[in-house]
Amino acid sequence: MLFFEGSEKKLEIVMRPKSDSLRALGHKYWQKMVTKARADILCSMSNDQCDAYLLSESSLFVWDNRFLMLTCGTTTLVDAAAHFIHDRGQQNLDFVSYQRKNEYLPHRQRTTVNDDLKKFRTLLDIKAHQLGYLDTHHHFLFHYAHPDYRPPSHDITAELLMYHISEQAANKLLHPRSIESIREFLALDKLLDGFILDDYLFEPFGYSVNLLKGDDYATIHITPQQCSSYVSFETSLDLSGKYRFIVDELLKKLRPRAWDCIGFNTKPQVPEQRDYLLLGECQLPLECGYQVDFNYFLDGHQTPLTIREL
Amino acid sequence: MLFFEGSEKKLEIVMRPKSDSLRALGHKYWQKMVTKARADILCSMSNDQCDAYLLSESSLFVWDNRFLMLTCGTTTLVDAAAHFIHDRGQQNLDFVSYQRKNEYLPHRQRTTVNDDLKKFRTLLDIKAHQLGYLDTHHHFLFHYAHPDYRPPSHDITAELLMYHISEQAANKLLHPRSIESIREFLALDKLLDGFILDDYLFEPFGYSVNLLKGDDYATIHITPQQCSSYVSFETSLDLSGKYRFIVDELLKKLRPRAWDCIGFNTKPQVPEQRDYLLLGECQLPLECGYQVDFNYFLDGHQTPLTIREL
């Protein structure tokens, strides 16, 4: 089975108040940004607040005063970041965050975390943290904040990253009858009621969807391949409150062996009914005000390990 | 704190009956083997059955009909394997096993697991397995067995690999008053009664010891550095039987956050009194008769994660 690194790098940049609109920069500008990361734009949709692009490797969301770019595989998101910061100027930035999530095969990446950090430090006064231990799930977070930047407490990001989904779920996602059958399997209309969506079925495997509702977004990326299956869900919805059922539903459907929860100003909750083991938890308060939470979990029923012949 | 990859690669080769004695090949031969792996011999000791070498990166044990070589850091043990197999001839080999243990930073290694496998496959009809999932502790085992080879059931290897030892233990090992104080801390005379030993204290950090008693061996390698601390214990003693107390004592002393147990013809037991979580287990029976067990564990009290500023 072909290996694919589903795990994403993530860049989020918030502009200073009264900066030029990022949406007004236009499709060509963002096309160039995506190319810098070695990805392509596949399609896009818009509402009044946001332009959402589906990429050959993940997603890009552009609002007037901020953008969010997620790229998986062996993309070089750091190059897009460097291009943007150089082009728009550090003085116009309120907040920059860059994450590298837990990778299956870090040695296949084009750059190491240290390479990326070195590049960022030529551009900005970056703070960098490793959350978690090197021998198991861990994440890297770089950030820069303008001294005046204070994000409102409702500025929320929640990430649910699922590793090694069940064979049943993988089969439904590897061999869907149609793109509609994946939407139906995920029950997107129930999970994210009232959202408009733009999705893409990859050949031979993989599925991505962007969803928008007003200022809110959600995005799901699925790498169903055996031995390296990975599903990420990211949203501005508060998964610890009203939308907690989404985590419950996704875990029930996909039955990952392990999963990570990362929250900015929210701490995604795990379902109370489920047999899981909390393997690690930490909280990192950023000076500008964001509370970053990272927790990871193991399905308590899934201790038998896979043996794979190479 | 300087990063060092304590996690080892391991090569074990058993010769066909009536092959030339490996010990008789002499120091110069083994010096060359070690150089091929990009390591050096620091010192050695012998008893009637075995020559035991301490290396700049781990250990080499040579008996008349088999040898065992462990190398850590960024050594290229595969090159030593290729040299030996080429030099002695495939027809003289009963059994070859090569392991790559769970690495903290696989992207810093000189070769990937796939590189190593490709090289082995040019030399032998190798079977290769990945034990465990890619997102967390997992090990690679390559092996070749002569069709006539049947190891006796008392041909045992037990490995206890400990990740992220407690700060108290690390402090004792980072700043020992003397080499004797490490021996005393580990209580080597009690753990391995009647063994002769040869040990080495590295600058600025690190400790290695080889131990021999008749045909039996044991070896301990300590990388005490914060964020990547690692202690490995490997022996021919049966840690599931009479010597089970050794596992108990080492875990009590070192209090690792996580540990792996790997056994050939033995399944190392964990202490019954201890609060731990079994995170994964599997058994791989090799055609020639070895039963390979891999289990890994998390200290149940150590779910708070480290946050490291980079």
Side-chain angles (χ1 to χ4, degrees):
Chain A
M1 184 77 72
L2 201 68
F3 176 79
F4 184 80
E5 186 73 70
S7 172
E8 293 102 350
K9 301 161 198 80
K10 174 179 163 184
L11 174 67
E12 188 156 12
I13 296 188
V14 182
M15 306 304 288
R16 294 282 301 150
K18 299 180 191 161
S19 301
D20 298 341
S21 162
L22 295 180
R23 298 180 80 188
L25 293 172
H27 186 88
K28 263 201 175 164
Y29 187 89
W30 294 103
Q31 173 67 60
K32 186 166 180 186
M33 276 288 287
V34 168
T35 305
K36 289 277 175 192
R38 300 183 182 233
D40 294 307
I41 293 175
L42 300 175
C43 50
S44 67
M45 67 170 172
S46 297
N47 69 5
D48 285 348
Q49 286 81 14
C50 181
D51 300 321
Y53 299 87
L54 270 182
L55 309 184
S56 53
E57 283 94 354
S58 307
S59 289
L60 166 67
F61 293 87
V62 184
W63 293 266
D64 280 323
N65 74 325
R66 65 161 69 196
F67 76 91
L68 160 67
M69 195 166 166
L70 279 165
T71 67
C72 60
T74 59
T75 48
T76 53
L77 184 56
V78 64
D79 292 335
H83 170 73
F84 184 87
I85 295 165
H86 186 74
D87 182 69
R88 306 313 295 170
Q90 181 197 328
Q91 71 284 2
N92 291 312
L93 311 179
D94 249 356
F95 185 70
V96 176
S97 76
Y98 178 78
Q99 284 172 256
R100 270 180 80 148
K101 303 184 185 183
N102 197 50
E103 288 153 3
Y104 280 120
L105 296 181
H107 63 267
R108 297 223 187 158
Q109 290 296 311
R110 283 198 173 87
T111 60
T112 66
V113 171
N114 274 339
D115 295 337
D116 293 359
L117 184 54
K118 268 185 208 158
K119 185 164 273 185
F120 266 104
R121 289 205 156 134
T122 64
L123 300 161
L124 289 173
D125 185 19
I126 280 283
K127 286 198 192 310
H129 294 88
Q130 172 194 319
L131 286 73
Y133 289 90
L134 279 181
D135 65 316
T136 183
H137 289 216
H138 59 280
H139 292 256
F140 295 96
L141 171 64
F142 304 170
H143 80 282
Y144 158 84
H146 189 282
D148 299 338
Y149 182 59
R150 291 289 172 277
S153 64
H154 64 264
D155 182 352
I156 276 173
T157 307
E159 305 170 10
L160 173 65
L161 312 172
M162 292 164 278
Y163 298 82
H164 303 300
I165 60 173
S166 76
E167 207 178 314
Q168 292 91 315
N171 280 334
K172 283 197 186 293
L173 296 164
L174 279 165
H175 311 293
R177 295 188 310 282
S178 63
I179 199 165
E180 288 77 18
S181 67
I182 293 191
R183 286 181 208 162
E184 201 180 315
F185 173 67
L186 295 173
L188 289 178
D189 54 340
K190 288 188 192 105
L191 289 187
L192 295 151
D193 184 34
F195 278 72
I196 58 170
L197 73 79
D198 189 20
D199 55 359
Y200 196 90
L201 192 57
F202 290 85
E203 283 298 332
F205 309 112
Y207 172 79
S208 288
V209 58
N210 285 340
L211 301 113
L212 289 177
K213 183 182 179 181
D215 256 344
D216 283 316
Y217 75 96
T219 185
I220 301 176
H221 298 281
I222 297 177
T223 302
Q225 283 94 313
Q226 217 190 337
C227 304
S228 60
S229 72
Y230 174 83
V231 178
S232 71
F233 172 61
E234 165 159 349
T235 184
S236 54
L237 300 176
D238 186 359
L239 298 184
S240 70
K242 186 176 161 194
Y243 296 98
R244 183 171 168 166
F245 74 94
I246 300 180
V247 175
D248 205 352
E249 285 297 314
L250 286 174
L251 291 177
K252 212 155 67 185
K253 245 179 242 299
L254 298 168
R255 293 202 70 81
R257 181 175 186 272
W259 64 95
D260 298 350
C261 294
I262 299 177
F264 285 73
N265 287 345
T266 179
K267 184 173 171 174
Q269 304 294 310
V270 291
E272 278 161 24
Q273 301 300 315
R274 202 173 154 77
D275 178 20
Y276 65 85
L277 306 170
L278 170 68
L279 302 192
E281 53 180 337
C282 62
Q283 189 173 63
L284 174 68
L286 307 190
E287 263 178 51
C288 62
Y290 284 117
Q291 286 289 338
V292 182
D293 266 276
F294 166 45
N295 303 317
Y296 78 101
F297 302 90
L298 182 75
D299 183 332
H301 296 295
Q302 294 199 51
T303 54
L305 294 175
T306 185
I307 296 181
R308 185 163 71 102
E309 191 157 0
L310 304 179
Chain B
M1 184 77 70
L2 202 68
F3 176 79
F4 184 81
E5 186 72 72
S7 172
E8 292 102 352
K9 303 164 196 78
K10 174 181 165 184
L11 174 68
E12 186 154 16
I13 296 189
V14 182
M15 305 304 288
R16 295 285 297 151
K18 297 178 194 163
S19 301
D20 298 340
S21 161
L22 294 181
R23 298 181 80 189
L25 293 172
H27 187 88
K28 263 202 174 165
Y29 188 89
W30 295 104
Q31 173 67 61
K32 187 168 180 184
M33 275 289 286
V34 168
T35 306
K36 288 278 175 193
R38 300 183 183 231
D40 294 306
I41 293 177
L42 299 175
C43 50
S44 68
M45 68 169 171
S46 298
N47 68 5
D48 285 349
Q49 286 81 16
C50 181
D51 300 321
Y53 300 87
L54 270 182
L55 309 183
S56 53
E57 283 94 354
S58 308
S59 288
L60 166 67
F61 293 87
V62 184
W63 293 267
D64 279 325
N65 75 325
R66 65 161 70 197
F67 76 91
L68 160 67
M69 195 167 165
L70 280 165
T71 66
C72 59
T74 58
T75 49
T76 55
L77 184 56
V78 64
D79 292 334
H83 170 72
F84 184 87
I85 296 166
H86 186 74
D87 181 68
R88 308 312 296 170
Q90 181 195 331
Q91 71 284 0
N92 291 312
L93 310 180
D94 249 355
F95 185 71
V96 176
S97 75
Y98 178 78
Q99 284 172 256
R100 269 180 79 149
K101 303 184 184 180
N102 197 51
E103 288 153 1
Y104 280 120
L105 296 181
H107 63 266
R108 296 223 188 159
Q109 291 296 311
R110 283 198 172 84
T111 61
T112 67
V113 171
N114 273 340
D115 295 337
D116 292 358
L117 184 53
K118 269 186 207 156
K119 185 164 274 188
F120 267 104
R121 288 204 158 133
T122 65
L123 300 161
L124 289 172
D125 184 20
I126 281 283
K127 287 199 193 309
H129 294 88
Q130 174 194 319
L131 286 74
Y133 289 89
L134 280 181
D135 65 316
T136 181
H137 288 215
H138 61 280
H139 291 257
F140 295 96
L141 171 64
F142 304 170
H143 80 283
Y144 158 84
H146 189 281
D148 298 339
Y149 182 59
R150 292 289 171 278
S153 64
H154 63 265
D155 182 352
I156 277 173
T157 307
E159 305 168 10
L160 174 65
L161 313 173
M162 292 163 277
Y163 299 82
H164 303 298
I165 60 175
S166 76
E167 208 178 314
Q168 291 93 316
N171 281 335
K172 282 195 185 295
L173 296 164
L174 279 166
H175 311 293
R177 293 188 311 282
S178 63
I179 198 164
E180 288 76 19
S181 67
I182 293 191
R183 288 182 207 160
E184 201 181 313
F185 173 66
L186 295 172
L188 289 178
D189 54 338
K190 289 187 192 107
L191 288 185
L192 295 151
D193 184 32
F195 279 71
I196 57 169
L197 71 79
D198 190 20
D199 54 359
Y200 196 91
L201 192 58
F202 291 85
E203 285 296 330
F205 309 115
Y207 172 79
S208 288
V209 59
N210 286 339
L211 302 112
L212 290 177
K213 182 183 180 181
D215 256 346
D216 283 316
Y217 75 96
T219 185
I220 300 176
H221 298 281
I222 296 177
T223 303
Q225 285 93 314
Q226 216 191 339
C227 303
S228 59
S229 73
Y230 173 82
V231 177
S232 71
F233 172 62
E234 164 158 350
T235 183
S236 54
L237 300 176
D238 186 359
L239 298 184
S240 71
K242 187 177 161 193
Y243 296 97
R244 181 171 169 167
F245 73 94
I246 299 180
V247 176
D248 203 351
E249 285 298 312
L250 286 175
L251 291 177
K252 213 155 64 183
K253 244 178 245 298
L254 299 168
R255 295 202 69 84
R257 182 174 185 269
W259 64 95
D260 298 351
C261 293
I262 299 178
F264 286 73
N265 287 345
T266 182
K267 183 173 171 174
Q269 304 294 311
V270 291
E272 279 161 21
Q273 301 302 317
R274 202 174 152 76
D275 177 21
Y276 63 86
L277 306 169
L278 170 68
L279 301 192
E281 53 180 337
C282 63
Q283 188 172 65
L284 173 69
L286 307 189
E287 262 177 52
C288 61
Y290 284 116
Q291 287 288 340
V292 182
D293 267 275
F294 167 45
N295 303 316
Y296 77 100
F297 301 90
L298 182 74
D299 183 330
H301 296 294
Q302 295 200 48
T303 54
L305 293 175
T306 185
I307 295 179
R308 185 164 71 101
E309 189 156 3
L310 305 178

